[in-house]
Amino acid sequence: MVIFLIFTFNSLSAQSSKRDTLLSEIEEIKKSSNFSSKDTLYIHNLIALAYEYRFHNLDSLYTLSQKSLALSKKAKYTNGEISSYHSMGGYYSDKGKIDQAILYFNKAYNLAKKHENHFLKVRTLNDLAKEYGYKGEYALSLKWYLAAIEIAEKHDFKNSISIINDNIAHLYLEQKDYEHAMLFFKKSKAIHEEIGNPVYMAETMSNMASTYADMKELDYAMYNINSSIAIFEKEKILEWLAYSYEIKGKIYLKKNKNTWAMYWYKQSELLHKEIEDDRGKIDLLNGMTEAYLNLKKDSIAEVYALNAFNLSKKIGLRSGIKNSSHQLFKIYKNKNEYEKSLWYHEIYQVTYESLSVAGNEKSLNMLKTRMEYDQQKQQLIIDNEKALAKQNVYIYVFVIILIIFAVIVFIIHRNEQEQKKLNLELRSKKTDLEENQAYLNELNQTKNKLFSIIGHDLRGPIGAFQGLLKLFKEGEMTKDEFLNFVPKLKVDIDTISFTLNNLLSWGQTQMNGSITRHSITNLDCIVEENIALLSEIAEAKSITLINRIEPNCQIWSDPNQIDIIIRNLLSNALKFTPNNGQIIIGAIQKIKTCEIYVKDNGLGMSEEIIGKLFEKDSNHTTYGTNDEKGTGLGLSLCKEMVEKNNGKIWVHSALGRGSSFYFTIPRIQKQYKVSA
């Protein structure tokens, strides 16, 4: 049996560290002087924290989901309301209350549909299908999966498509149709290879390993599960690691190596003590039952089989009831307790037949037919393209003849129009000359501004450096006296270097020489490099730099321009933050954009200064808390580069309360999921 996949937040790190980080951020937001429970960032963090408690503390998941739902309604935060309904559905699903889970997933779906949030529509449809699969209503389950995959394909949600493919494969496995199940797994794997997400790849490979084990292809099964375990152990994803250990035990069980099977089952059992995943635990208990039976330890096998049966009844998992009742039938038959054996056999038979009703098989056959039809249609398209290619040769020849004829006609017509064109050109010369004059004036102003900044901001430190060298060279200053000036000289040289970089970047943008080259950019790497670069300045003022950028936070931008933006904003914050202050840099990942912020508790600004900050021709310069000086180009340069990267920049500030700079950049789209 494979694990169904769902969408969720933050699946790539250890859960406990994420919970601690989210709790810390929530407390910090609540301590803010202008805190409001309607703050969407606060609600977003509550929802994310609720998801982190899934598989670990369902009561906390329920409490936080109720709270975020109430606050989202009060704040009219639609996405928060949808996500809260979704997490409530997850709570009831894990409790085995399938009908209540369906109720909440339906609420989430209807709200997402009303507000045209296509990603959340796909996520909730997938979970609705999953719940109907748990009930054994495969026809209805398939209906929702197909609806979800249609939306996902229309909007190119690749991660969503891969998840749904995995879950459709599960429906085939329930009918023992391993061939078509494997086709869907391979589709999902191909998408993961394209995206390059190792954790999602490991999730699919672990499900493939379980399927290969059922197909008796044990070498393939072992390769896939070992690859998955390596990734889950590295990332500390406990629920998937427990599942992978259980599958490895299953593979050894198929090899009749019961001692090794029991070893890996025990490893999985230890992890299940740290997580709340009753569905996964049922498969583990049934596997351990079979291993103990093979080891002739029927009494222990009976305990595990009864636990599996009772847990399956508790959460209404009919496939678990089917498997455990079959094991109990064999156990009591071995013990000559025929009445109990017959009773469990009847339960097994009824459950098995209910999971194999004709309507479900018909729906799956319809899907199989659809796949075959799609393959035939694709082949027909290829054949048609070959036939059209031959016809195109004749068409190309005819087109070339037409082009030659058109060229001849054009030349004749051009000669007739030449005189008129010359007259029009003469009339436009005056306009062109005026435009060129305006452009040259603008370039001249740029040049004057560059020379002004060079003369004003660079000549002073360089002149001071020359003076010190002259005094030292002529013996009017001792070596020790000269060395005492070295720290100050280093600061001046760093300032000159930073100023020159800004001047060059600004000059390029003003003279149309700066080209924006978008690519996948790791924001956390750029921030770490700039924090390291500016750490000495921060230490000199005893300023704490706090980085809240999540690992692997990826955006679509020019990395060099983002580097300049981050460095200018951090440098400005250091400049205007007093000794022993604090600067926070973080990012809020939204559906299409990443909102990056740099917050300080420094001097702050008046409304008048804020109005001049981002003006293109502004050269406004203010001295920092330790008399640090800049060119005044930094923020106008930031604005230009943010806009070149399809983003926006703004600031919130007040005198004496610090400043918070925000800018948005398009993000790399991701989908999130773990086992249900």
Side-chain angles (χ1 to χ4, degrees):
M1 180 178 180
V2 297
I3 284 188
F4 278 111
L5 302 186
I6 64 169
F7 301 83
T8 185
F9 297 100
N10 306 323
S11 65
L12 297 182
S13 300
Q15 293 90 338
S16 59
S17 62
K18 289 183 183 177
R19 288 198 297 271
D20 292 341
T21 301
L22 287 166
L23 284 167
S24 176
E25 290 183 359
I26 288 170
E27 288 303 316
E28 186 172 337
I29 293 171
K30 290 170 69 176
K31 290 177 182 177
S32 174
S33 58
N34 58 349
F35 168 71
S36 169
S37 60
K38 296 181 180 180
D39 185 348
T40 56
L41 177 59
Y42 172 66
I43 299 171
H44 172 84
N45 283 344
L46 286 177
I47 295 168
L49 182 60
Y51 272 93
E52 289 302 323
Y53 276 113
R54 192 169 185 187
F55 305 110
H56 299 278
N57 189 324
L58 289 177
D59 290 339
S60 295
L61 166 63
Y62 181 79
T63 302
L64 287 166
S65 299
Q66 279 194 317
K67 184 174 182 180
S68 64
L69 179 60
L71 293 176
S72 296
K73 288 181 176 179
K74 188 181 294 184
K76 297 182 179 179
Y77 178 33
T78 304
N79 285 353
E81 192 174 345
I82 295 168
S83 295
S84 298
Y85 279 134
H86 186 268
S87 60
M88 291 287 288
Y91 165 80
Y92 283 113
S93 176
D94 291 347
K95 284 289 188 179
K97 299 179 179 179
I98 306 302
D99 290 334
Q100 287 176 278
I102 290 172
L103 173 67
Y104 278 96
F105 284 136
N106 265 318
K107 287 183 178 181
Y109 170 70
N110 290 331
L111 198 56
K113 183 179 179 182
K114 178 181 178 182
H115 292 273
E116 287 299 311
N117 190 319
H118 300 297
F119 171 69
L120 293 180
K121 280 166 63 179
V122 172
R123 184 173 75 171
T124 50
L125 280 173
N126 176 74
D127 284 295
L128 274 171
K130 173 173 58 65
E131 296 306 314
Y132 284 114
Y134 289 147
K135 292 183 72 174
E137 297 180 15
Y138 299 140
L140 198 51
S141 176
L142 180 58
K143 171 188 172 183
W144 291 120
Y145 280 137
L146 292 176
I149 209 166
E150 183 178 353
I151 300 171
E153 287 175 345
K154 181 179 179 181
H155 297 279
D156 198 27
F157 296 151
K158 291 185 178 178
N159 276 338
S160 304
I161 295 168
S162 68
I163 294 169
I164 299 166
N165 278 327
D166 270 35
N167 291 343
I168 291 175
H170 178 81
L171 297 182
Y172 278 104
L173 290 177
E174 290 295 330
Q175 301 295 321
K176 307 299 181 185
D177 188 347
Y178 301 121
E179 180 181 352
H180 280 86
M182 194 57 70
L183 284 176
F184 281 97
F185 282 136
K186 288 179 178 178
K187 279 186 180 181
S188 179
K189 185 179 178 183
I191 294 172
H192 295 322
E193 287 173 346
E194 180 184 349
I195 296 171
N197 188 310
V199 172
Y200 295 165
M201 175 70 79
E203 291 172 357
T204 295
M205 289 179 71
S206 60
N207 280 336
M208 290 176 73
S210 178
T211 307
Y212 277 128
D214 290 330
M215 296 169 70
K216 310 297 183 184
E217 297 185 22
L218 301 181
D219 289 338
Y220 285 120
M222 189 62 75
Y223 167 77
N224 279 275
I225 203 61
N226 284 338
S227 300
S228 301
I229 286 173
I231 294 170
F232 294 141
E233 286 180 340
K234 178 182 177 182
E235 302 295 342
K236 300 179 183 177
I237 305 176
L238 300 187
E239 62 272 15
W240 276 99
L241 189 56
Y243 171 65
S244 296
Y245 286 160
E246 183 256 316
I247 295 304
K248 192 162 184 177
K250 173 182 175 180
I251 296 168
Y252 277 115
L253 195 64
K254 298 285 185 181
K255 290 184 174 185
N256 293 320
K257 295 182 179 181
N258 297 293
T259 302
W260 275 107
M262 190 56 65
Y263 171 80
W264 288 104
Y265 282 145
K266 287 292 185 182
Q267 297 300 310
S268 179
E269 187 177 34
L270 287 173
L271 289 180
H272 272 283
K273 293 179 180 179
E274 300 183 38
I275 61 177
E276 291 187 44
D277 183 11
D278 287 343
R279 291 191 181 92
K281 190 174 182 180
I282 289 167
D283 286 334
L284 172 64
L285 293 171
N286 281 323
M288 295 181 77
T289 298
E290 188 172 350
Y292 277 122
L293 279 173
N294 292 341
L295 292 168
K296 307 302 181 183
K297 297 181 179 180
D298 288 19
S299 297
I300 302 176
E302 180 184 359
V303 173
Y304 279 94
L306 285 170
N307 285 339
F309 182 78
N310 291 330
L311 191 55
S312 299
K313 286 181 62 179
K314 175 185 173 184
I315 67 172
L317 186 65
R318 294 199 289 172
S319 60
I321 294 172
K322 179 191 72 174
N323 294 332
S324 57
S325 62
H326 187 63
Q327 298 281 24
L328 287 165
F329 155 69
K330 292 191 293 183
I331 291 169
Y332 288 120
K333 182 180 178 183
N334 292 342
K335 295 174 69 175
N336 296 324
E337 296 183 25
Y338 297 113
E339 185 176 347
K340 286 184 178 181
S341 176
L342 179 60
W343 188 73
Y344 282 110
H345 180 70
E346 289 175 351
I347 293 174
Y348 164 75
Q349 196 65 36
V350 170
T351 310
Y352 176 81
E353 290 174 358
S354 69
L355 291 173
S356 304
V357 293
N360 293 330
E361 292 180 346
K362 182 178 178 181
S363 295
L364 292 174
N365 287 332
M366 287 172 60
L367 181 60
K368 187 188 302 183
T369 302
R370 176 188 167 183
M371 285 183 56
E372 292 170 353
Y373 169 76
D374 288 342
Q375 291 173 353
Q376 292 171 0
K377 184 172 69 174
Q378 188 63 32
Q379 186 60 46
L380 183 61
I381 291 171
I382 294 171
D383 293 340
N384 287 338
E385 287 176 349
K386 290 179 180 178
L388 287 172
K390 294 180 180 179
Q391 296 176 11
N392 285 340
V393 173
Y394 300 105
I395 295 173
Y396 291 149
V397 172
F398 179 71
V399 169
I400 290 171
I401 294 172
L402 284 178
I403 291 172
I404 293 172
F405 179 75
V407 168
I408 294 171
V409 173
F410 172 74
I411 292 171
I412 296 171
H413 181 72
R414 185 183 63 179
N415 291 334
E416 294 175 351
Q417 299 295 321
E418 190 66 32
Q419 188 62 43
K420 294 180 181 179
K421 182 179 178 182
L422 288 172
N423 292 334
L424 291 173
E425 286 180 353
L426 287 173
R427 293 174 184 174
S428 66
K429 286 293 183 183
K430 182 180 179 181
T431 303
D432 291 342
L433 287 172
E434 290 174 351
E435 290 176 353
N436 288 337
Q437 182 65 38
Y439 176 67
L440 290 172
N441 288 338
E442 186 177 346
L443 288 180
N444 196 44
Q445 290 175 3
T446 300
K447 178 204 69 176
N448 291 340
K449 188 170 184 179
L450 285 169
F451 282 124
S452 171
I453 293 169
I454 291 170
H456 187 266
D457 294 306
L458 300 183
R459 186 170 59 185
I462 293 172
F465 189 26
Q466 288 176 327
L468 284 173
L469 289 173
K470 182 178 179 183
L471 290 173
F472 181 69
K473 181 179 179 182
E474 294 176 355
E476 296 183 22
M477 178 182 291
T478 66
K479 180 179 179 180
D480 290 339
E481 289 174 332
F482 181 78
L483 290 175
N484 287 336
F485 282 96
V486 168
K488 178 64 169 63
L489 289 174
K490 182 182 182 305
V491 173
D492 286 345
I493 290 170
D494 288 343
T495 301
I496 292 169
S497 175
F498 185 72
T499 301
L500 281 173
N501 285 334
N502 271 0
L503 282 170
L504 290 171
S505 299
W506 180 77
Q508 276 189 320
T509 63
Q510 296 299 302
M511 297 180 183
N512 300 320
S514 176
I515 299 174
T516 301
R517 294 182 174 88
H518 293 92
S519 64
I520 297 174
T521 302
N522 285 319
L523 180 62
D524 55 320
C525 295
I526 292 176
V527 171
E528 286 294 338
E529 288 172 2
N530 278 284
I531 287 176
L533 182 66
L534 299 171
S535 60
E536 189 173 338
I537 297 174
E539 290 173 3
K541 297 179 73 173
S542 299
I543 293 174
T544 302
L545 290 172
I546 299 174
N547 180 10
R548 290 190 178 153
I549 304 293
E550 294 184 355
N552 298 323
C553 180
Q554 294 184 327
I555 54 177
W556 182 249
S557 66
D558 184 318
N560 293 325
Q561 293 180 356
I562 296 301
D563 184 48
I564 291 170
I565 296 166
I566 295 295
R567 192 174 309 157
N568 271 283
L569 293 180
L570 285 175
S571 179
N572 267 8
L574 286 166
K575 177 179 172 182
F576 295 107
T577 300
N579 293 351
N580 301 310
Q582 176 178 276
I583 298 170
I584 302 172
I585 181 167
I588 303 170
Q589 298 193 52
K590 300 184 177 180
I591 293 175
K592 293 184 179 179
T593 61
C594 184
E595 185 179 296
I596 303 156
Y597 58 85
V598 177
K599 300 181 179 181
D600 64 62
N601 58 354
L603 301 176
M605 295 175 285
S606 65
E607 292 292 334
E608 182 181 358
I609 293 175
I610 292 173
K612 298 177 180 179
L613 281 182
F614 299 111
E615 291 180 0
K616 181 177 180 181
D617 298 324
S618 173
N619 192 22
H620 180 77
T621 302
T622 307
Y623 287 88
T625 57
N626 286 358
D627 292 331
E628 304 97 320
K629 188 176 182 301
T631 65
L633 286 175
L635 291 176
S636 64
L637 179 62
C638 287
K639 182 176 185 292
E640 290 182 25
M641 290 189 170
V642 166
E643 290 174 352
K644 282 177 178 288
N645 284 275
N646 303 314
K648 297 180 181 178
I649 187 168
W650 68 95
V651 61
H652 295 158
S653 183
L655 286 172
R657 295 185 180 180
S659 301
S660 299
F661 284 84
Y662 301 84
F663 68 95
T664 60
I665 295 293
R667 63 171 294 194
I668 302 300
Q669 295 298 310
K670 296 183 177 180
Q671 320 299 331
Y672 303 90
K673 60 186 184 302
V674 294
S675 158

